[in-house]
């Protein structure tokens, strides 16, 4: 399978890029801070997916996945957390030094990103999904606590707190796809626990070996991005009766 | 009667392409490798590319090696589990000539290709590329018709609407295939239409629908076993291109007396009856009565759907007679399936709906099934009861999937005096992941949160046959 992965990564980016277009966007957080992001609009309209990156990378780590999801019919938003990538500036220039403050602001930043995503003209804002990597895992889980319109989660190499675990345990309609690498011991244990807690029968976990952490796993497990797209297509329909009606 | 003429539905499979490219075995070249060009691409062309190409419903393209290779592992998993291609008929019953499930040999070919590193192989081994129709079409239409732009609201309940247009043919025309291409599939529940002789009372370009009394949660306050509300009551109308809605008491004047002859449903993109030398005659001056059902999903959008036709100047040998439609609007007699009795209890896991029974008054050839239910649909079984009392299951769908409303094409000679019994079951439990509210009673209706169990079928008759009274339903 290794040979497949090496070749497929290159081909995938080329093939997907031929169909998708991204635009740079600025998401205004509650305190006025401008989070920088990339938005991929689905031509025919469809659900929205928010990608939350890990805290040792920036949003570019999702470039390929975002493109693939967009080609598959989804509106996709990636944002840089404060202190990362395009969102490094103003009062937030050093994540390590400002870690606690930035983490405290993340829930509000996620809400701002979801608000931005939901407001886009092609987004079905009652049908959302979130991908979280590492530090983004807890944010993804907490976001689903606050926003019932989030209908599925993809969690890569991370964990959540007691409230998040209770939420997953009680959410029978929230399917979760988890993935981690075995040698990433704590993250792997957290993902196993989260998926194990899930009350949804379709939730599943993928464990790899020597694959790295969160979205860096894509480099060695390049089938993982395809698996994530297939997961969303199975659990967040882009058309048909599976989309929830908006009566009110 | 033109309005009672009908068509047969052939889903996504491309018959011609299937004939050209027979399924390959999991062959190995001199180097021992199953390759993309030599072994896999023919399988993809025959079974997958109709959906897996740009602009279609598949999440990625399978037209080229470059497009396909990154998805190799997912493809292997999908074919091994038989999740793809979608096909839901229990293989123990019936025979379907559009069965698009892969043969074991084809599955083995794809698995072997992936297991061997998904090699590209020699491009000279590739079969000729299929020339897919341009513009997103599955058929290559000779005639196209653009429906007026339809503003779909972000929220609210959109009842079934009908609108009439002059048919887009200047002379008597045999239609041989039809495709309805929704502009925004995310908001289209169904689109169907049929032809009928123009009536002076039928206005063109005016949407008409009945006011259906509903509670705040969208449930009909008086479930009456219909999809469109009572036959008379408050009629709402809107001229296409305008926003003003008018109300009057009475009956709609846009109404198709026959059945819906062509439909778009999720997973059913087109209907094609060229392969069996059949069609339907549309006399000059006919009207096209279109039934529309949009669902508000939170996305305010303008839908621009299109209809495409292929036609022939040579009259085909056969024409089709459908048994279609949700309730009493079928040819040749009113349908009496006891839809009003459908009441699915909360948390029911396997609730049987009211059965439909169709009696055949003449010998007839059954050529397709197209069962239709909504998100709680679980199973459907078509049982033929012969005149001597012998029973035979012709189709059993053990896992109905509303996202793939397939047509199952067959050829069964049904003798006069036989009866068809059609039984749907429903899953209103928490185990149904698409169930929006397991705690509610669910009644018959046309909205996706309501249910129905429509036993659509198609029949082949000689071109000159009088299609009246081939069957009755009660």
């Amino acid at each position: 399978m290794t040979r497949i992965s090496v070749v497929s990564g290159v081909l995938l980016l080329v093939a997907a890029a031929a169909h998708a277009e991204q635009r740079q966007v600025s998401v205004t957080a509650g305190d006025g801070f401008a989070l920088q992001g990339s938005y991929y609009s689905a031509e025919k309209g469809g659900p929205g997916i928010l990608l939350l990156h890990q805290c040792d990378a920036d949003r570019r780590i999702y470039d390929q996945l975002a493109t693939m999801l967009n080609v598959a019919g989804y509106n996709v938003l990636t944002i840089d957390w404060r202190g990362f990538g395009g969102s490094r500036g103003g009062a937030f220039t050093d994540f390590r030094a400002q870690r606690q403050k930035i983490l405290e602001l993340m829930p509000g930043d996620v809400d701002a990103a979801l608000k931005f995503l939901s407001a886009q003209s092609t987004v079905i804002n009652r049908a959302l999904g979130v991908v979280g990597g590492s530090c983004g895992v807890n944010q993804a889980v907490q976001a689903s606590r606050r926003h019932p319109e989030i209908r599925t989660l993809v969690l890569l190499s991370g964990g959540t707190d007691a409230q998040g675990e209770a939420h997953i345990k009680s959410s029978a309609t929230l399917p979760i796809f988890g993935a981690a690498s075995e040698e990433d011991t704590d993250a792997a244990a957290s993902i196993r626990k989260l998926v194990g807690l899930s009350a949804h029968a379709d939730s599943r976990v993928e464990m790899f070996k020597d694959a790295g952490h969160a979205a860096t796993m894509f480099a060695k497990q390049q089938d993982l991005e395809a698996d994530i797209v297939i997961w969303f297509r199975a659990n967040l329909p882009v058309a048909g009766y599976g989309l929830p009606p908006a009566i009110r | 009667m033109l309005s009672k003429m009908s068509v047969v539905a052939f889903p996504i499979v491309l018959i011609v392409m299937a004939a050209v490219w027979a399924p390959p075995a999991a062959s190995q070249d001199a180097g021992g490798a199953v390759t993309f060009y030599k072994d896999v691409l023919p399988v993809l062309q025959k079974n997958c590319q109709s959906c897996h190409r740009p602009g279609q419903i598949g999440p990625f393209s399978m037209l080229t090696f470059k497009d396909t290779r990154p998805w190799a592992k997912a493809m292997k998993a999908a074919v091994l589990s038989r999740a793809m291609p979608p096909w839901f008929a229990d293989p123990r019953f019936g025979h379907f000539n559009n069965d698009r499930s892969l043969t074991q040999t084809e599955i083995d070919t794809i698995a072997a290709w992936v297991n061997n590193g998904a090699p590209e192989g020699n491009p000279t081994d590739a079969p000729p590329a299929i020339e897919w129709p341009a513009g997103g079409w599955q058929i290559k239409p000779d005639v196209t018709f653009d429906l007026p732009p339809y503003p779909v609201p972000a929220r609210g309940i959109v009842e079934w609407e009908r609108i009439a247009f002059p048919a887009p043919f200047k002379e008597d025309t045999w239609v041989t295939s039809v495709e309805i291409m929704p502009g925004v599939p995310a908001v289209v529940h169904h689109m169907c239409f049929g032809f009928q002789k123009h009536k002076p009372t039928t206005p063109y370009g005016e949407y008409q629908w009945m006011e259906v009394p509903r509670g705040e949660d969208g449930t009909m306050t008086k479930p009456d076993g219909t999809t469109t509300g009572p036959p008379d009551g408050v009629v709402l109308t809107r001229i296409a291109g305008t926003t003003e809605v008018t109300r009057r008491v009475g009956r709609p004047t846009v109404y198709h007396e026959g059945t819906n002859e062509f439909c778009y449903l999720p997973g059913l993109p087109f209907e094609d009856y060229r392969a069996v030398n059949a069609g339907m005659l549309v006399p000059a001056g006919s009207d096209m009565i279109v039934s529309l059902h949009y669902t508000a999903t939170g996305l305010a959008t303008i839908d621009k759907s299109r209809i495409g036709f292929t036609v022939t100047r040579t009259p085909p040998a056969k024409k089709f007679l459908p048994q279609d439609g949700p309730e009493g609007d079928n040819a040749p007699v009113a349908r009496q399936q006891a839809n009003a009795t459908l009441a699915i209890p909360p948390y029911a896991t396997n609730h049987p709906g009211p059965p439909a029974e169709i009696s055949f008054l003449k010998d007839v050839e059954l050529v397709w099934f197209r069962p239709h239910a909504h998100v709680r649909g679980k199973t459907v079984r078509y049982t033929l009861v012969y005149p001597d009392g012998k029973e035979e299951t012709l189709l059993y769908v053990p896992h109905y999937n509303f996202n793939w409303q397939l047509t199952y094409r067959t050829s069964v000679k049904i003798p006069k005096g036989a009866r068809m019994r059609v039984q749907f079951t429903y899953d209103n439990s928490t185990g149904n992941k698409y169930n929006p509210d397991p705690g509610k009673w669910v009644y018959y209706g046309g909205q996706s949160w309501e249910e129905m169990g429509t036993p659509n079928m198609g029949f082949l008759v000689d071109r000159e046959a009088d299609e009246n009274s081939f069957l009755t339903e009660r």
Side-chain angles (χ1 to χ4, degrees):
Chain A
M1 296 302 292
T2 304
R3 282 190 296 156
I4 291 179
S5 297
V6 172
V7 176
S8 66
V10 176
L11 294 180
L12 211 154
L13 192 56
V14 173
H19 303 291
E21 285 187 16
Q22 64 161 295
R23 64 183 168 93
Q24 306 305 305
V25 297
S26 180
V27 176
T28 304
D31 60 358
F33 186 83
L35 298 159
Q36 299 305 301
S38 299
Y39 180 66
Y40 306 70
S41 179
E43 181 185 0
K44 292 185 178 180
I49 297 176
L50 174 64
L51 308 184
L52 302 174
H53 68 77
Q54 58 217 67
C55 288
D56 59 358
D58 59 37
R59 74 179 196 271
R60 291 174 299 177
I61 202 163
Y62 287 131
D63 280 354
Q64 182 167 301
L65 177 61
T67 301
M68 293 167 65
L69 287 167
N70 183 235
V71 170
Y74 297 99
N75 301 278
V76 184
L77 175 65
T78 65
I79 59 163
D80 280 327
W81 297 121
R82 300 176 195 232
F84 293 90
S87 302
R88 184 185 295 121
F92 302 97
T93 56
D94 186 346
F95 175 72
R96 289 186 178 180
Q98 299 170 292
R99 179 184 179 92
Q100 190 57 37
K101 186 175 183 183
I102 290 173
L103 288 175
E104 288 172 1
L105 291 167
M106 279 184 178
D109 292 347
V110 171
D111 288 349
L114 288 170
K115 184 178 179 182
F116 177 94
L117 180 61
S118 296
Q120 301 307 302
S121 63
T122 58
V123 174
I124 297 171
N125 55 21
R126 298 167 63 90
L128 302 179
V130 180
V131 176
S134 191
C135 66
V137 167
N138 184 47
Q139 298 307 323
V141 173
Q142 302 299 338
S144 79
R145 288 181 60 211
R146 301 190 299 273
H147 300 277
E149 60 272 27
I150 294 172
R151 305 178 72 80
T152 184
L153 297 174
V154 171
L155 307 176
L156 308 173
S157 309
T160 186
D161 59 19
Q163 284 183 315
E165 290 179 357
H167 167 65
I168 286 175
K169 193 173 181 179
S170 64
S171 299
T173 57
L174 182 71
I176 295 171
F177 177 93
S181 192
E182 295 282 8
E183 82 288 350
D184 192 6
T185 315
D186 291 345
S190 295
I191 286 296
R192 273 205 183 91
K193 183 179 183 184
L194 278 179
V195 176
L197 287 171
S198 173
H200 197 286
D202 291 347
S203 293
R204 70 183 176 98
V205 65
E206 289 277 347
M207 283 292 157
F208 305 107
K209 289 184 178 176
D210 300 322
H213 182 67
T216 60
M217 291 190 292
F218 298 157
K220 289 187 176 179
Q221 294 292 333
Q222 288 166 343
D223 296 320
L224 179 55
E225 289 164 303
D227 286 347
I228 291 171
V229 176
I230 298 298
W231 170 266
F232 276 113
R233 284 296 292 256
N235 292 282
L236 192 64
V238 297
Y241 300 0
L243 288 167
I247 297 173
R248 291 187 293 275
Chain B
M1 296 214 11
L2 174 64
S3 63
K4 294 173 183 172
M5 291 185 175
S6 62
V7 298
V8 71
F10 298 137
I12 302 170
V13 174
L14 284 182
I15 305 300
V16 175
M17 298 308 170
V20 171
W21 291 105
S27 59
Q28 296 184 332
D29 62 15
V34 176
T35 72
F36 178 81
Y37 290 120
K38 177 167 58 66
D39 306 295
V40 174
L41 185 55
V43 179
L44 304 184
Q45 287 185 337
K46 181 169 77 74
N47 299 285
C48 311
Q49 286 186 353
S50 61
C51 293
H52 284 272
R53 58 190 171 93
Q56 302 298 325
I57 191 66
F60 60 95
S61 170
M62 294 185 185
L63 293 185
T64 67
F65 175 75
K66 183 181 74 175
D67 293 335
T68 309
R69 173 67 183 272
W71 302 85
K73 180 193 165 196
M75 289 168 60
K76 177 186 168 186
V79 300
L80 286 177
S81 66
R82 294 190 178 271
M84 284 285 153
W87 184 258
F88 305 101
D90 186 328
R92 295 176 299 166
F93 305 107
H95 174 73
F96 306 100
N97 48 34
N98 65 332
D99 183 349
R100 57 181 172 181
S101 55
L102 299 184
T103 66
Q104 191 58 50
T105 300
E106 291 168 329
I107 293 170
D108 292 344
T109 296
I110 291 174
W113 175 63
V114 177
N115 291 341
N116 292 334
E120 183 173 13
N122 188 339
T124 61
D125 292 338
I130 293 177
E131 292 184 16
W132 295 100
W137 295 102
Q138 300 258 5
I139 65 172
K140 195 177 289 184
D142 301 310
V143 178
T144 61
F145 181 85
D146 289 3
L147 292 167
Y150 187 101
V152 183
R155 297 180 186 281
I157 297 171
V158 186
E159 302 293 353
W160 290 27
E161 300 179 16
R162 291 190 177 89
I163 186 168
F165 307 97
F169 309 115
K170 294 178 179 175
E171 56 191 21
D172 292 359
T173 301
W174 281 94
V175 171
T176 55
S177 75
V178 175
E179 179 176 356
I180 302 173
M181 189 161 61
V184 185
V187 296
V188 179
H189 180 130
H190 83 246
M191 285 186 186
C192 297
F193 71 93
F195 294 103
Q196 69 181 18
K197 185 179 179 182
H198 178 67
K199 293 185 290 189
T201 54
T202 302
Y204 289 138
E206 178 180 292
Y207 299 100
Q208 293 191 357
W209 66 101
M210 299 300 294
E211 186 173 76
V212 180
R214 296 185 182 277
E216 283 194 357
D217 63 353
T219 303
M220 278 191 281
T221 52
K222 292 181 180 177
D224 61 359
T226 73
T227 52
T228 56
D232 52 20
V234 176
V235 181
L236 298 109
T237 64
R238 179 173 65 83
I239 304 297
T242 71
T243 57
E244 183 181 352
V245 175
T246 61
R247 302 171 87 251
R248 63 176 170 80
V249 175
R251 287 182 169 235
T253 54
V254 179
Y255 197 83
H256 189 210
E257 293 175 343
T259 186
N260 287 312
E261 290 146 349
F262 310 92
C263 281
Y264 162 84
L265 292 161
L268 177 73
F270 70 99
E271 300 179 349
D272 189 339
Y273 28 96
R274 288 169 288 186
V276 289
N277 192 18
M280 70 171 300
L281 179 64
V282 182
S286 295
D287 285 348
M288 195 162 66
I289 310 296
V290 184
S291 166
L292 303 168
H293 185 210
Y294 291 99
T295 300
T297 60
L299 177 70
T301 187
I302 306 291
D303 179 67
K304 298 176 182 175
S305 291
R306 308 185 72 197
I307 303 174
F309 304 87
T310 62
V311 299
T312 180
R313 291 188 178 278
T314 305
K318 302 281 186 179
K319 64 182 176 184
F320 285 87
L321 174 67
Q323 177 68 22
D324 194 3
E327 59 255 358
D329 56 357
N330 289 7
V333 298
R335 183 161 137 195
Q336 298 297 325
Q337 185 178 9
N339 290 323
T341 66
L342 177 60
I344 307 170
Y347 304 105
T349 58
N350 196 31
H351 182 79
E357 187 170 293
I358 296 97
S359 299
F360 298 92
L361 305 182
K362 295 181 180 179
D363 293 350
V364 68
E365 181 182 2
L366 169 66
V367 289
W368 57 257
F369 306 94
R370 194 176 65 216
H372 174 70
H374 294 166
V375 299
R376 292 170 173 91
K378 182 177 183 180
T379 72
V380 60
R381 184 186 294 270
Y382 287 71
T383 304
L384 185 65
V385 183
Y386 288 91
D388 63 1
K390 176 190 162 196
E391 296 191 3
E392 180 183 8
T393 295
L394 297 183
L395 170 67
Y396 178 53
V397 178
H399 304 288
Y400 175 80
N401 187 321
F402 57 86
N403 282 318
W404 294 101
Q405 303 203 27
L406 306 183
T407 295
Y408 300 92
R409 190 159 57 84
T410 187
S411 176
V412 178
K413 301 289 193 286
I414 297 181
K416 173 185 175 182
R419 292 173 291 125
M420 184 75 79
R421 190 169 62 237
V422 186
Q423 179 68 63
F424 283 81
T425 66
Y426 303 90
D427 183 354
N428 194 19
S429 73
T430 55
N432 176 356
K433 70 178 182 181
Y434 290 113
N435 189 349
D437 192 345
K440 276 191 174 175
W441 282 88
V442 180
Y443 302 100
Y444 187 85
Q447 301 291 345
S448 60
W449 57 89
E450 299 166 327
E451 266 305 339
M452 57 173 58
T454 308
N456 301 320
M457 288 181 279
F459 303 94
L460 194 65
V461 298
D462 290 336
R463 184 179 67 218
E464 304 300 337
D466 175 9
E467 62 268 33
N468 288 324
S469 64
F470 268 88
L471 52 142
T472 63
E473 189 170 355
R474 56 180 170 271

